[in-house]
PDB file of all heavy atoms in Angstrom:
ATOM      1  N   LYS A1110      35.104  -3.362  -8.185  1.00 98.00           N
ATOM      2  CA  LYS A1110      34.030  -3.653  -7.250  1.00 98.00           C
ATOM      3  C   LYS A1110      34.446  -4.787  -6.327  1.00 98.00           C
ATOM      4  O   LYS A1110      35.295  -5.600  -6.686  1.00 98.00           O
ATOM      5  CB  LYS A1110      32.767  -4.071  -8.013  1.00 98.00           C
ATOM      6  CG  LYS A1110      32.294  -3.063  -9.043  1.00 98.00           C
ATOM      7  CD  LYS A1110      31.117  -3.620  -9.835  1.00 98.00           C
ATOM      8  CE  LYS A1110      30.636  -2.632 -10.871  1.00 98.00           C
ATOM      9  NZ  LYS A1110      29.488  -3.169 -11.650  1.00 98.00           N
ATOM     10  N   PRO A1111      33.845  -4.872  -5.147  1.00 98.00           N
ATOM     11  CA  PRO A1111      34.174  -5.982  -4.246  1.00 98.00           C
ATOM     12  C   PRO A1111      34.009  -7.352  -4.892  1.00 98.00           C
ATOM     13  O   PRO A1111      34.780  -8.266  -4.582  1.00 98.00           O
ATOM     14  CB  PRO A1111      33.191  -5.783  -3.082  1.00 98.00           C
ATOM     15  CG  PRO A1111      32.976  -4.309  -3.049  1.00 98.00           C
ATOM     16  CD  PRO A1111      32.955  -3.888  -4.500  1.00 98.00           C
ATOM     17  N   GLU A1112      33.049  -7.502  -5.779  1.00 97.00           N
ATOM     18  CA  GLU A1112      32.841  -8.780  -6.444  1.00 97.00           C
ATOM     19  C   GLU A1112      33.936  -9.134  -7.439  1.00 97.00           C
ATOM     20  O   GLU A1112      33.962 -10.248  -7.971  1.00 97.00           O
ATOM     21  CB  GLU A1112      31.472  -8.836  -7.136  1.00 97.00           C
ATOM     22  CG  GLU A1112      31.211  -7.674  -8.080  1.00 97.00           C
ATOM     23  CD  GLU A1112      30.375  -6.580  -7.449  1.00 97.00           C
ATOM     24  OE1 GLU A1112      30.646  -6.224  -6.286  1.00 97.00           O
ATOM     25  OE2 GLU A1112      29.444  -6.081  -8.119  1.00 97.00           O
ATOM     26  N   ASP A1113      34.855  -8.208  -7.711  1.00 98.00           N
ATOM     27  CA  ASP A1113      36.018  -8.505  -8.533  1.00 98.00           C
ATOM     28  C   ASP A1113      37.118  -9.199  -7.733  1.00 98.00           C
ATOM     29  O   ASP A1113      38.121  -9.629  -8.316  1.00 98.00           O
ATOM     30  CB  ASP A1113      36.587  -7.233  -9.157  1.00 98.00           C
ATOM     31  CG  ASP A1113      35.631  -6.585 -10.146  1.00 98.00           C
ATOM     32  OD1 ASP A1113      34.991  -7.315 -10.930  1.00 98.00           O
ATOM     33  OD2 ASP A1113      35.533  -5.339 -10.139  1.00 98.00           O
ATOM     34  N   THR A1114      36.948  -9.285  -6.439  1.00 98.00           N
ATOM     35  CA  THR A1114      37.944  -9.933  -5.588  1.00 98.00           C
ATOM     36  C   THR A1114      38.108 -11.397  -5.981  1.00 98.00           C
ATOM     37  O   THR A1114      37.140 -12.150  -6.013  1.00 98.00           O
ATOM     38  CB  THR A1114      37.537  -9.830  -4.114  1.00 98.00           C
ATOM     39  OG1 THR A1114      37.540  -8.457  -3.716  1.00 98.00           O
ATOM     40  CG2 THR A1114      38.508 -10.604  -3.232  1.00 98.00           C
ATOM     41  N   ALA A1115      39.335 -11.787  -6.293  1.00 98.00           N
ATOM     42  CA  ALA A1115      39.610 -13.152  -6.743  1.00 98.00           C
ATOM     43  C   ALA A1115      41.102 -13.314  -6.989  1.00 98.00           C
ATOM     44  O   ALA A1115      41.855 -12.346  -7.030  1.00 98.00           O
ATOM     45  CB  ALA A1115      38.850 -13.464  -8.031  1.00 98.00           C
ATOM     46  N   MET A1116      41.506 -14.564  -7.155  1.00 98.00           N
ATOM     47  CA  MET A1116      42.821 -14.854  -7.695  1.00 98.00           C
ATOM     48  C   MET A1116      42.702 -14.809  -9.215  1.00 98.00           C
ATOM     49  O   MET A1116      41.845 -15.477  -9.790  1.00 98.00           O
ATOM     50  CB  MET A1116      43.304 -16.224  -7.232  1.00 98.00           C
ATOM     51  CG  MET A1116      44.713 -16.577  -7.687  1.00 98.00           C
ATOM     52  SD  MET A1116      45.992 -15.638  -6.804  1.00 98.00           S
ATOM     53  CE  MET A1116      45.974 -16.477  -5.213  1.00 98.00           C
ATOM     54  N   TYR A1117      43.559 -14.019  -9.836  1.00 98.00           N
ATOM     55  CA  TYR A1117      43.527 -13.868 -11.280  1.00 98.00           C
ATOM     56  C   TYR A1117      44.659 -14.656 -11.923  1.00 98.00           C
ATOM     57  O   TYR A1117      45.811 -14.564 -11.496  1.00 98.00           O
ATOM     58  CB  TYR A1117      43.645 -12.395 -11.671  1.00 98.00           C
ATOM     59  CG  TYR A1117      42.359 -11.626 -11.472  1.00 98.00           C
ATOM     60  CD1 TYR A1117      41.900 -11.327 -10.199  1.00 98.00           C
ATOM     61  CD2 TYR A1117      41.591 -11.211 -12.563  1.00 98.00           C
ATOM     62  CE1 TYR A1117      40.720 -10.646 -10.006  1.00 98.00           C
ATOM     63  CE2 TYR A1117      40.404 -10.522 -12.383  1.00 98.00           C
ATOM     64  CZ  TYR A1117      39.971 -10.244 -11.108  1.00 98.00           C
ATOM     65  OH  TYR A1117      38.790  -9.558 -10.915  1.00 98.00           O
ATOM     66  N   TYR A1118      44.320 -15.416 -12.956  1.00 98.00           N
ATOM     67  CA  TYR A1118      45.274 -16.255 -13.664  1.00 98.00           C
ATOM     68  C   TYR A1118      45.301 -15.896 -15.143  1.00 98.00           C
ATOM     69  O   TYR A1118      44.273 -15.556 -15.723  1.00 98.00           O
ATOM     70  CB  TYR A1118      44.880 -17.735 -13.571  1.00 98.00           C
ATOM     71  CG  TYR A1118      44.771 -18.293 -12.183  1.00 98.00           C
ATOM     72  CD1 TYR A1118      43.574 -18.231 -11.479  1.00 98.00           C
ATOM     73  CD2 TYR A1118      45.861 -18.912 -11.589  1.00 98.00           C
ATOM     74  CE1 TYR A1118      43.462 -18.763 -10.209  1.00 98.00           C
ATOM     75  CE2 TYR A1118      45.763 -19.451 -10.316  1.00 98.00           C
ATOM     76  CZ  TYR A1118      44.559 -19.369  -9.634  1.00 98.00           C
ATOM     77  OH  TYR A1118      44.458 -19.906  -8.379  1.00 98.00           O
ATOM     78  N   CYS A1119      46.463 -16.004 -15.756  1.00 96.00           N
ATOM     79  CA  CYS A1119      46.517 -15.928 -17.202  1.00 96.00           C
ATOM     80  C   CYS A1119      46.723 -17.330 -17.759  1.00 96.00           C
ATOM     81  O   CYS A1119      47.318 -18.194 -17.118  1.00 96.00           O
ATOM     82  CB  CYS A1119      47.606 -14.970 -17.702  1.00 96.00           C
ATOM     83  SG  CYS A1119      49.306 -15.453 -17.361  1.00 96.00           S
ATOM     84  N   ALA A1120      46.198 -17.538 -18.947  1.00 95.00           N
ATOM     85  CA  ALA A1120      46.271 -18.836 -19.590  1.00 95.00           C
ATOM     86  C   ALA A1120      46.517 -18.661 -21.079  1.00 95.00           C
ATOM     87  O   ALA A1120      46.144 -17.641 -21.666  1.00 95.00           O
ATOM     88  CB  ALA A1120      44.978 -19.620 -19.359  1.00 95.00           C
ATOM     89  N   ALA A1121      47.122 -19.658 -21.685  1.00 93.00           N
ATOM     90  CA  ALA A1121      47.409 -19.631 -23.113  1.00 93.00           C
ATOM     91  C   ALA A1121      47.063 -20.971 -23.730  1.00 93.00           C
ATOM     92  O   ALA A1121      47.230 -22.017 -23.100  1.00 93.00           O
ATOM     93  CB  ALA A1121      48.876 -19.301 -23.361  1.00 93.00           C
ATOM     94  N   GLY A1122      46.589 -20.927 -24.959  1.00 91.00           N
ATOM     95  CA  GLY A1122      46.280 -22.164 -25.636  1.00 91.00           C
ATOM     96  C   GLY A1122      45.490 -21.949 -26.905  1.00 91.00           C
ATOM     97  O   GLY A1122      45.380 -20.833 -27.416  1.00 91.00           O
ATOM     98  N   ASN A1123      44.970 -23.033 -27.401  1.00 91.00           N
ATOM     99  CA  ASN A1123      44.115 -23.034 -28.581  1.00 91.00           C
ATOM    100  C   ASN A1123      42.775 -23.634 -28.184  1.00 91.00           C
ATOM    101  O   ASN A1123      42.466 -24.775 -28.539  1.00 91.00           O
ATOM    102  CB  ASN A1123      44.763 -23.828 -29.709  1.00 91.00           C
ATOM    103  CG  ASN A1123      46.076 -23.222 -30.166  1.00 91.00           C
ATOM    104  OD1 ASN A1123      46.148 -22.034 -30.462  1.00 91.00           O
ATOM    105  ND2 ASN A1123      47.121 -24.041 -30.226  1.00 91.00           N
ATOM    106  N   PRO A1124      41.972 -22.883 -27.447  1.00 94.00           N
ATOM    107  CA  PRO A1124      40.743 -23.439 -26.888  1.00 94.00           C
ATOM    108  C   PRO A1124      39.644 -23.624 -27.921  1.00 94.00           C
ATOM    109  O   PRO A1124      39.514 -22.832 -28.856  1.00 94.00           O
ATOM    110  CB  PRO A1124      40.329 -22.385 -25.860  1.00 94.00           C
ATOM    111  CG  PRO A1124      40.822 -21.100 -26.456  1.00 94.00           C
ATOM    112  CD  PRO A1124      42.137 -21.467 -27.098  1.00 94.00           C
ATOM    113  N   ALA A1125      38.857 -24.658 -27.719  1.00 94.00           N
ATOM    114  CA  ALA A1125      37.642 -24.820 -28.499  1.00 94.00           C
ATOM    115  C   ALA A1125      36.562 -23.886 -27.975  1.00 94.00           C
ATOM    116  O   ALA A1125      35.721 -23.408 -28.735  1.00 94.00           O
ATOM    117  CB  ALA A1125      37.163 -26.271 -28.443  1.00 94.00           C
ATOM    118  N   ARG A1126      36.605 -23.635 -26.655  1.00 95.00           N
ATOM    119  CA  ARG A1126      35.650 -22.753 -25.994  1.00 95.00           C
ATOM    120  C   ARG A1126      36.429 -21.694 -25.229  1.00 95.00           C
ATOM    121  O   ARG A1126      37.225 -22.015 -24.349  1.00 95.00           O
ATOM    122  CB  ARG A1126      34.755 -23.560 -25.064  1.00 95.00           C
ATOM    123  CG  ARG A1126      33.950 -24.637 -25.781  1.00 95.00           C
ATOM    124  CD  ARG A1126      33.388 -25.659 -24.820  1.00 95.00           C
ATOM    125  NE  ARG A1126      34.438 -26.438 -24.181  1.00 95.00           N
ATOM    126  CZ  ARG A1126      34.223 -27.374 -23.263  1.00 95.00           C
ATOM    127  NH1 ARG A1126      32.983 -27.656 -22.878  1.00 95.00           N
ATOM    128  NH2 ARG A1126      35.252 -28.038 -22.734  1.00 95.00           N
ATOM    129  N   LEU A1127      36.192 -20.458 -25.536  1.00 95.00           N
ATOM    130  CA  LEU A1127      37.047 -19.362 -25.113  1.00 95.00           C
ATOM    131  C   LEU A1127      37.209 -19.240 -23.608  1.00 95.00           C
ATOM    132  O   LEU A1127      38.319 -19.016 -23.115  1.00 95.00           O
ATOM    133  CB  LEU A1127      36.502 -18.051 -25.681  1.00 95.00           C
ATOM    134  CG  LEU A1127      37.469 -16.884 -25.802  1.00 95.00           C
ATOM    135  CD1 LEU A1127      38.628 -17.235 -26.714  1.00 95.00           C
ATOM    136  CD2 LEU A1127      36.724 -15.659 -26.343  1.00 95.00           C
ATOM    137  N   PHE A1128      36.134 -19.370 -22.865  1.00 97.00           N
ATOM    138  CA  PHE A1128      36.164 -19.145 -21.422  1.00 97.00           C
ATOM    139  C   PHE A1128      36.005 -20.423 -20.607  1.00 97.00           C
ATOM    140  O   PHE A1128      35.563 -20.381 -19.462  1.00 97.00           O
ATOM    141  CB  PHE A1128      35.101 -18.130 -21.023  1.00 97.00           C
ATOM    142  CG  PHE A1128      35.414 -16.713 -21.438  1.00 97.00           C
ATOM    143  CD1 PHE A1128      34.389 -15.815 -21.701  1.00 97.00           C
ATOM    144  CD2 PHE A1128      36.717 -16.282 -21.560  1.00 97.00           C
ATOM    145  CE1 PHE A1128      34.664 -14.509 -22.073  1.00 97.00           C
ATOM    146  CE2 PHE A1128      37.010 -14.981 -21.942  1.00 97.00           C
ATOM    147  CZ  PHE A1128      35.973 -14.090 -22.194  1.00 97.00           C
ATOM    148  N   PHE A1129      36.430 -21.533 -21.173  1.00 96.00           N
ATOM    149  CA  PHE A1129      36.430 -22.803 -20.458  1.00 96.00           C
ATOM    150  C   PHE A1129      37.863 -23.137 -20.057  1.00 96.00           C
ATOM    151  O   PHE A1129      38.717 -23.388 -20.907  1.00 96.00           O
ATOM    152  CB  PHE A1129      35.855 -23.921 -21.315  1.00 96.00           C
ATOM    153  CG  PHE A1129      34.353 -23.944 -21.364  1.00 96.00           C
ATOM    154  CD1 PHE A1129      33.646 -22.896 -21.918  1.00 96.00           C
ATOM    155  CD2 PHE A1129      33.650 -25.021 -20.842  1.00 96.00           C
ATOM    156  CE1 PHE A1129      32.257 -22.913 -21.965  1.00 96.00           C
ATOM    157  CE2 PHE A1129      32.266 -25.052 -20.885  1.00 96.00           C
ATOM    158  CZ  PHE A1129      31.568 -23.992 -21.447  1.00 96.00           C
ATOM    159  N   TRP A1130      38.118 -23.135 -18.751  1.00 95.00           N
ATOM    160  CA  TRP A1130      39.485 -23.309 -18.263  1.00 95.00           C
ATOM    161  C   TRP A1130      40.112 -24.627 -18.682  1.00 95.00           C
ATOM    162  O   TRP A1130      41.329 -24.705 -18.902  1.00 95.00           O
ATOM    163  CB  TRP A1130      39.535 -23.177 -16.732  1.00 95.00           C
ATOM    164  CG  TRP A1130      38.834 -24.276 -15.995  1.00 95.00           C
ATOM    165  CD1 TRP A1130      37.545 -24.295 -15.577  1.00 95.00           C
ATOM    166  CD2 TRP A1130      39.408 -25.527 -15.609  1.00 95.00           C
ATOM    167  NE1 TRP A1130      37.264 -25.481 -14.942  1.00 95.00           N
ATOM    168  CE2 TRP A1130      38.397 -26.255 -14.942  1.00 95.00           C
ATOM    169  CE3 TRP A1130      40.683 -26.103 -15.741  1.00 95.00           C
ATOM    170  CZ2 TRP A1130      38.608 -27.533 -14.429  1.00 95.00           C
ATOM    171  CZ3 TRP A1130      40.897 -27.375 -15.232  1.00 95.00           C
ATOM    172  CH2 TRP A1130      39.874 -28.068 -14.587  1.00 95.00           C
ATOM    173  N   SER A1131      39.291 -25.672 -18.815  1.00 95.00           N
ATOM    174  CA  SER A1131      39.814 -26.988 -19.161  1.00 95.00           C
ATOM    175  C   SER A1131      40.342 -27.055 -20.592  1.00 95.00           C
ATOM    176  O   SER A1131      41.017 -28.020 -20.953  1.00 95.00           O
ATOM    177  CB  SER A1131      38.739 -28.055 -18.952  1.00 95.00           C
ATOM    178  OG  SER A1131      37.600 -27.802 -19.759  1.00 95.00           O
ATOM    179  N   ASP A1132      40.056 -26.049 -21.404  1.00 95.00           N
ATOM    180  CA  ASP A1132      40.524 -26.026 -22.789  1.00 95.00           C
ATOM    181  C   ASP A1132      41.900 -25.389 -22.945  1.00 95.00           C
ATOM    182  O   ASP A1132      42.411 -25.318 -24.065  1.00 95.00           O
ATOM    183  CB  ASP A1132      39.525 -25.279 -23.678  1.00 95.00           C
ATOM    184  CG  ASP A1132      38.284 -26.102 -23.990  1.00 95.00           C
ATOM    185  OD1 ASP A1132      38.153 -27.227 -23.483  1.00 95.00           O
ATOM    186  OD2 ASP A1132      37.434 -25.600 -24.760  1.00 95.00           O
ATOM    187  N   TYR A1133      42.500 -24.929 -21.852  1.00 94.00           N
ATOM    188  CA  TYR A1133      43.794 -24.257 -21.917  1.00 94.00           C
ATOM    189  C   TYR A1133      44.915 -25.138 -21.387  1.00 94.00           C
ATOM    190  O   TYR A1133      44.753 -25.826 -20.375  1.00 94.00           O
ATOM    191  CB  TYR A1133      43.759 -22.941 -21.137  1.00 94.00           C
ATOM    192  CG  TYR A1133      42.963 -21.878 -21.846  1.00 94.00           C
ATOM    193  CD1 TYR A1133      41.581 -21.864 -21.781  1.00 94.00           C
ATOM    194  CD2 TYR A1133      43.605 -20.897 -22.597  1.00 94.00           C
ATOM    195  CE1 TYR A1133      40.847 -20.899 -22.451  1.00 94.00           C
ATOM    196  CE2 TYR A1133      42.877 -19.926 -23.264  1.00 94.00           C
ATOM    197  CZ  TYR A1133      41.500 -19.937 -23.183  1.00 94.00           C
ATOM    198  OH  TYR A1133      40.776 -18.975 -23.849  1.00 94.00           O
ATOM    199  N   ALA A1134      46.057 -25.068 -22.057  1.00 89.00           N
ATOM    200  CA  ALA A1134      47.179 -25.939 -21.729  1.00 89.00           C
ATOM    201  C   ALA A1134      48.188 -25.303 -20.780  1.00 89.00           C
ATOM    202  O   ALA A1134      48.851 -26.012 -20.019  1.00 89.00           O
ATOM    203  CB  ALA A1134      47.891 -26.374 -23.011  1.00 89.00           C
ATOM    204  N   TYR A1135      48.325 -23.975 -20.807  1.00 92.00           N
ATOM    205  CA  TYR A1135      49.358 -23.298 -20.040  1.00 92.00           C
ATOM    206  C   TYR A1135      48.751 -22.278 -19.086  1.00 92.00           C
ATOM    207  O   TYR A1135      47.873 -21.502 -19.470  1.00 92.00           O
ATOM    208  CB  TYR A1135      50.354 -22.611 -20.974  1.00 92.00           C
ATOM    209  CG  TYR A1135      51.025 -23.574 -21.918  1.00 92.00           C
ATOM    210  CD1 TYR A1135      50.602 -23.691 -23.236  1.00 92.00           C
ATOM    211  CD2 TYR A1135      52.075 -24.371 -21.481  1.00 92.00           C
ATOM    212  CE1 TYR A1135      51.203 -24.586 -24.100  1.00 92.00           C
ATOM    213  CE2 TYR A1135      52.683 -25.271 -22.340  1.00 92.00           C
ATOM    214  CZ  TYR A1135      52.245 -25.374 -23.649  1.00 92.00           C
ATOM    215  OH  TYR A1135      52.846 -26.263 -24.505  1.00 92.00           O
ATOM    216  N   TRP A1136      49.270 -22.261 -17.859  1.00 94.00           N
ATOM    217  CA  TRP A1136      48.738 -21.417 -16.789  1.00 94.00           C
ATOM    218  C   TRP A1136      49.833 -20.778 -15.974  1.00 94.00           C
ATOM    219  O   TRP A1136      50.906 -21.348 -15.787  1.00 94.00           O
ATOM    220  CB  TRP A1136      47.864 -22.246 -15.855  1.00 94.00           C
ATOM    221  CG  TRP A1136      46.598 -22.705 -16.481  1.00 94.00           C
ATOM    222  CD1 TRP A1136      46.408 -23.828 -17.222  1.00 94.00           C
ATOM    223  CD2 TRP A1136      45.336 -22.035 -16.427  1.00 94.00           C
ATOM    224  NE1 TRP A1136      45.099 -23.910 -17.634  1.00 94.00           N
ATOM    225  CE2 TRP A1136      44.429 -22.825 -17.161  1.00 94.00           C
ATOM    226  CE3 TRP A1136      44.895 -20.858 -15.824  1.00 94.00           C
ATOM    227  CZ2 TRP A1136      43.089 -22.450 -17.304  1.00 94.00           C
ATOM    228  CZ3 TRP A1136      43.571 -20.491 -15.968  1.00 94.00           C
ATOM    229  CH2 TRP A1136      42.685 -21.292 -16.698  1.00 94.00           C
ATOM    230  N   GLY A1137      49.530 -19.578 -15.473  1.00 95.00           N
ATOM    231  CA  GLY A1137      50.392 -18.946 -14.505  1.00 95.00           C
ATOM    232  C   GLY A1137      50.012 -19.343 -13.099  1.00 95.00           C
ATOM    233  O   GLY A1137      49.080 -20.127 -12.872  1.00 95.00           O
ATOM    234  N   GLN A1138      50.733 -18.791 -12.117  1.00 96.00           N
ATOM    235  CA  GLN A1138      50.518 -19.152 -10.717  1.00 96.00           C
ATOM    236  C   GLN A1138      49.424 -18.332 -10.047  1.00 96.00           C
ATOM    237  O   GLN A1138      48.962 -18.691  -8.964  1.00 96.00           O
ATOM    238  CB  GLN A1138      51.826 -19.000  -9.932  1.00 96.00           C
ATOM    239  CG  GLN A1138      52.140 -17.581  -9.451  1.00 96.00           C
ATOM    240  CD  GLN A1138      52.475 -16.606 -10.561  1.00 96.00           C
ATOM    241  OE1 GLN A1138      52.836 -16.994 -11.675  1.00 96.00           O
ATOM    242  NE2 GLN A1138      52.362 -15.312 -10.267  1.00 96.00           N
ATOM    243  N   GLY A1139      49.019 -17.249 -10.678  1.00 98.00           N
ATOM    244  CA  GLY A1139      47.972 -16.403 -10.144  1.00 98.00           C
ATOM    245  C   GLY A1139      48.487 -15.199  -9.391  1.00 98.00           C
ATOM    246  O   GLY A1139      49.588 -15.211  -8.843  1.00 98.00           O
ATOM    247  N   THR A1140      47.679 -14.142  -9.371  1.00 98.00           N
ATOM    248  CA  THR A1140      47.977 -12.953  -8.586  1.00 98.00           C
ATOM    249  C   THR A1140      46.682 -12.484  -7.933  1.00 98.00           C
ATOM    250  O   THR A1140      45.623 -12.450  -8.569  1.00 98.00           O
ATOM    251  CB  THR A1140      48.611 -11.849  -9.463  1.00 98.00           C
ATOM    252  OG1 THR A1140      49.014 -10.748  -8.640  1.00 98.00           O
ATOM    253  CG2 THR A1140      47.658 -11.356 -10.544  1.00 98.00           C
ATOM    254  N   GLN A1141      46.755 -12.151  -6.656  1.00 98.00           N
ATOM    255  CA  GLN A1141      45.556 -11.880  -5.872  1.00 98.00           C
ATOM    256  C   GLN A1141      45.112 -10.436  -6.010  1.00 98.00           C
ATOM    257  O   GLN A1141      45.902  -9.505  -5.847  1.00 98.00           O
ATOM    258  CB  GLN A1141      45.806 -12.194  -4.393  1.00 98.00           C
ATOM    259  CG  GLN A1141      44.617 -11.914  -3.480  1.00 98.00           C
ATOM    260  CD  GLN A1141      43.450 -12.841  -3.741  1.00 98.00           C
ATOM    261  OE1 GLN A1141      43.643 -14.030  -3.991  1.00 98.00           O
ATOM    262  NE2 GLN A1141      42.229 -12.296  -3.695  1.00 98.00           N
ATOM    263  N   VAL A1142      43.824 -10.253  -6.283  1.00 98.00           N
ATOM    264  CA  VAL A1142      43.199  -8.938  -6.306  1.00 98.00           C
ATOM    265  C   VAL A1142      42.124  -8.907  -5.228  1.00 98.00           C
ATOM    266  O   VAL A1142      41.235  -9.763  -5.204  1.00 98.00           O
ATOM    267  CB  VAL A1142      42.565  -8.622  -7.674  1.00 98.00           C
ATOM    268  CG1 VAL A1142      41.763  -7.323  -7.612  1.00 98.00           C
ATOM    269  CG2 VAL A1142      43.642  -8.532  -8.746  1.00 98.00           C
TER     270      VAL A1142
END
């Protein structure tokens, strides 16, 4: 859907909160959709 338009990033870590970006230590550069 058009609302899926975004830069998509992958992240890795041991988060306390699953969908909180600040809880992740490792990130990719992103890929545009």
Side-chain angles (χ1 to χ4, degrees):
K1110 304 175 180 180
E1112 53 262 44
D1113 295 319
T1114 295
M1116 183 72 75
Y1117 283 71
Y1118 301 89
C1119 66
N1123 297 309
R1126 300 164 294 178
L1127 202 60
F1128 288 151
F1129 280 64
W1130 67 268
S1131 60
D1132 284 3
Y1133 287 80
Y1135 301 101
W1136 291 86
Q1138 83 291 340
T1140 186
Q1141 179 67 39
V1142 173

